[in-house]
Amino acid sequence: MFKRLFDWLIQPLGLIAVGIAVLAVFSLAAYGINYTQQPPEQPIQFPHKTHAAFGVQCLYCHPGAAKGPSAGIPAQAKCWACHQQIAKTQTSVLLAPLKQAVESGTPIEWVPVAMVPDFVQFNHRAHVAAGQNCENCHGDMTKVTVAQNPQVFNMGWCLNCHVKSAGDDQEKLVKLSDCGTCHY
Amino acid sequence: MDIKISEVKLSEEQAGKWGLVIDQDICTGCQACVAACAMENNLSFVGEEDSGYGRSMHWIRIERFWEGEYPEVKMTPNQPMMCQQCGSAPCEPVCPVFATVHSEAEQLNLQVYNRCVGTRYCANNCPYQVRSFNWRDYERPEPLPNQLNPDVTVRRRGVMEKCTFCIQRIHQAQDQAKAEGREVVDGEFTTACAQACPASAIIFGRVDDPESLVSQLGRRSHGVKHLEELGTLPNVTYFKGG
């Protein structure tokens, strides 16, 4: 039975079939890898670069980063504080979801982009207090429209920076390379 | 990458950092600590059937013992039992993947859930029998997921778990203190079990600070550390009949 299948496969039509199958697998894999690297679809195509260009600080919209574990995603009230004074807000198609959210009082469901797994307990405050700038992990937001990750947040990447920042300080190194600092 | 950890001290010299003092004379066995611990640390609700197989999951339990023959039985004081955060823990050397490791920074026994492959070796080697294993992904019907503590990992099937001395609260207090530019004050925070105890039978704090409440209470002469003869260097002190 296998011999018959093999005989069929080595004839020209069979070879084309094999070629198509290989191509299908490869393109599916390529699509899959590409898909995981895409930033998720957001309810509003929020242009980070426009806001950063106006001089809005990261901490204005994400104040939690300096105070606690979570940086936070602003509610529409914060958007509206500026946007209600901008005439374009009333007419723009791109801003229609914001206008609608404010009028109906339903929250805008932003999709978090920079995430760590559940078993990692990350604290923004400690990192900001240690002198890390937002762009060290999140990339240069003056260049992107919708937020995207410049790198994969994995443990080797975290630990690399932890070890580097500890330097020769043994006590700091013990703390920064301790499993219980991030995993509990 | 090379990480150099300062030479590991001999186990006899190793000093604990955090510790508990438990007064069995004032413990009423009300189980408030058990409930508080389950809520704080996202423990699963195992249910009747699996509990019957001895798969119940608690990070703290109230042990009861009886003395004498029936009908003259006498109950001994209730004994809350949780991970003793041993200085020289029997669970640690048996883990093949280093999922249970000693924290040099906090002097606690850590369970790293993402490393654990579920051999259950550590639980079998724990003389206090305080480790519990996730035999299944137990169901949390709505709206129960809303009460999950975001500061604690929700464990999945196939990993071991145990009392952490509420390490999330330790970190939170340390972070708070650091933000305010000061040291953590004794009694500023406590574990969920100690907080919930209506009789204050459980006291939590720094054992390496001689001025802390746990150290002062711990110096009372009738304090007992369980199974100390095994050389585990437990960090929980029990008082009975004082």
Side-chain angles (χ1 to χ4, degrees), chain A residues 32-115:
Chain A
I33 289 166
N34 182 46
Y35 182 75
T36 58
Q37 303 306 312
Q38 297 302 315
E41 194 144 324
Q42 301 287 358
I44 298 174
Q45 296 298 303
F46 181 83
H48 271 95
K49 82 179 156 194
T50 313
H51 290 77
F54 283 135
V56 181
Q57 296 295 310
C58 304
L59 285 175
Y60 181 73
C61 296
H62 307 287
K67 294 175 194 157
S70 171
I73 297 173
Q76 66 254 36
K78 188 157 254 172
C79 309
W80 202 240
C82 296
H83 269 278
Q84 64 174 340
Q85 302 162 37
I86 300 167
K88 207 177 167 188
T89 309
Q90 300 296 332
T91 52
S92 167
V93 182
L94 287 170
L95 283 165
L98 171 66
K99 198 171 158 233
Q100 199 217 333
V102 171
E103 278 164 5
S104 65
T106 48
I108 303 167
E109 289 180 16
W110 299 105
V111 186
V113 175
M115 291 199 337

Side-chain angles (χ1 to χ4, degrees), chain B residues 171-209:
Chain B
H171 282 310
Q172 203 178 10
Q174 284 173 341
D175 191 60
Q176 182 73 28
K178 211 168 177 187
E180 292 167 12
R182 56 177 176 84
E183 292 289 311
V184 179
V185 186
D186 184 45
E188 179 184 336
F189 75 103
T190 186
T191 57
C193 54
Q195 189 185 8
C197 184
S200 297
I202 306 176
I203 307 287
F204 175 78
R206 290 285 288 263
V207 286
D208 57 350
D209 171 14

Side-chain angles (χ1 to χ4, degrees), chain B residues 18-24 79-80 82-84 165 201-203 207 214-226 228 233-240:
Chain B
W18 303 99
L20 283 174
V21 163
I22 295 170
D23 197 333
Q24 288 177 253
Q79 179 174 293
M82 75 295 289
C83 176
Q84 311 284 303
F165 269 12
I202 306 176
I203 307 287
V207 286
V214 267
S215 299
Q216 288 176 24
L217 291 170
R219 281 196 285 273
R220 286 187 293 174
S221 59
H222 62 302
V224 168
K225 290 193 171 172
H226 283 304
E228 205 178 13
L233 302 173
N235 276 318
V236 182
T237 311
Y238 288 84
F239 291 104
K240 189 162 70 173

Side-chain angles (χ1 to χ4, degrees), chain B residues 62-80:
Chain B
I62 307 288
E63 290 183 338
R64 299 181 301 168
F65 298 104
W66 282 267
E67 275 172 356
E69 288 282 314
Y70 182 82
E72 274 89 42
V73 286
K74 209 181 89 191
M75 224 178 87
T76 62
N78 298 296
Q79 179 174 293

Side-chain angles (χ1 to χ4, degrees), chain A residues 3-4 14 31 59 87 97 104 118-119 146-147 160 166 170 173 175:
Chain A
K3 175 134 191 359
R4 271 181 59 196
Y31 172 77
L59 285 175
S104 65
D118 189 34
F119 49 77
V146 176
N160 235 340
Q170 274 297 316
L173 181 62
K175 176 78 183 162

Side-chain angles (χ1 to χ4, degrees), chain A residues 64-72 121-127, chain B residues 151 172 175:
Chain A
K67 294 175 194 157
S70 171
Q121 309 294 336
F122 180 80
N123 190 341
H124 269 98
R125 194 210 67 81
H127 291 81
Chain B
D151 298 333
Q172 203 178 10
D175 191 60

